Amino acid sequence: RGQGATGVVLRNASGEFAGGRARWYPYGLDALTLEALACRDGAILAREKGVTRLILESDSQELVKLWNDDASHRSQIEPIIRETREISSCFIKFSVVYANSSCNRVAHTLAKQVSGDNRLGEWQLAPTCVGHLLISDCNPS
């Protein structure tokens, strides 16, 4: 239906929950576009929280390849990648890496907390719906 949500989980260097956000997008989006928006949304949240070093994990190998090869200028998501690159300049260190979707269940669960009726969710503390996932998803740097 071209609708969907992004889910973002921010963790500190020890892998502990440091914030989360989910946003509903109602129009014309495919999986790659939603993943690019999730990365942008994650970079925005990290910047707002004062993070200086960010490793952005995505479960989309295609997105990570576009980011790392700088081949995005031929992609439909090029404007989102360009905006994320601009945001990334605010960080001392910034990278985008691939993480298997089994390592991304907290973000996916947060994305399920929003809908067309409730378009934005934000958490300072881990909500109970992800408590059991936080330890198994933990991938500390």
Side-chain angles (χ1 to χ4, degrees):
R1 297 182 312 194
Q3 301 176 345
T6 62
V8 173
V9 59
L10 190 60
R11 295 178 183 258
N12 64 21
S14 301
E16 299 163 331
F17 188 92
R21 185 177 286 165
R23 184 178 306 272
W24 180 259
Y25 289 93
Y27 301 110
L29 303 174
D30 58 25
L32 180 60
T33 302
L34 278 168
E35 191 67 24
L37 288 168
C39 288
R40 185 206 58 198
D41 292 350
I44 290 170
L45 178 61
R47 180 181 64 188
E48 290 172 0
K49 295 278 190 179
V51 170
T52 58
R53 300 173 195 282
L54 183 64
I55 300 171
L56 227 160
E57 294 181 343
S58 171
D59 61 9
S60 169
Q61 290 179 332
E62 183 178 1
L63 176 64
V64 173
K65 182 175 176 21
L66 287 168
W67 179 271
N68 290 328
D69 291 346
D70 199 23
S72 62
H73 63 279
R74 295 183 302 271
S75 170
Q76 66 189 29
I77 63 168
E78 186 273 332
I80 302 167
I81 290 177
R82 186 176 353 106
E83 182 180 1
T84 306
R85 286 191 193 285
E86 290 170 11
I87 295 165
S88 74
S89 68
C90 298
F91 299 94
I92 293 170
K93 183 175 181 183
F94 184 91
S95 60
V96 177
V97 299
Y98 172 74
N100 187 293
S101 60
S102 66
C103 299
N104 212 0
R105 294 177 298 171
V106 173
H108 287 241
T109 301
L110 291 180
K112 292 177 184 176
Q113 306 309 304
V114 295
S115 66
D117 295 329
N118 179 25
R119 293 181 181 224
L120 182 65
E122 188 155 349
W123 301 269
Q124 305 306 315
L125 301 172
T128 56
C129 63
V130 299
H132 64 289
L133 298 173
L134 283 168
I135 294 171
S136 61
D137 275 6
C138 184
N139 190 13
S141 306

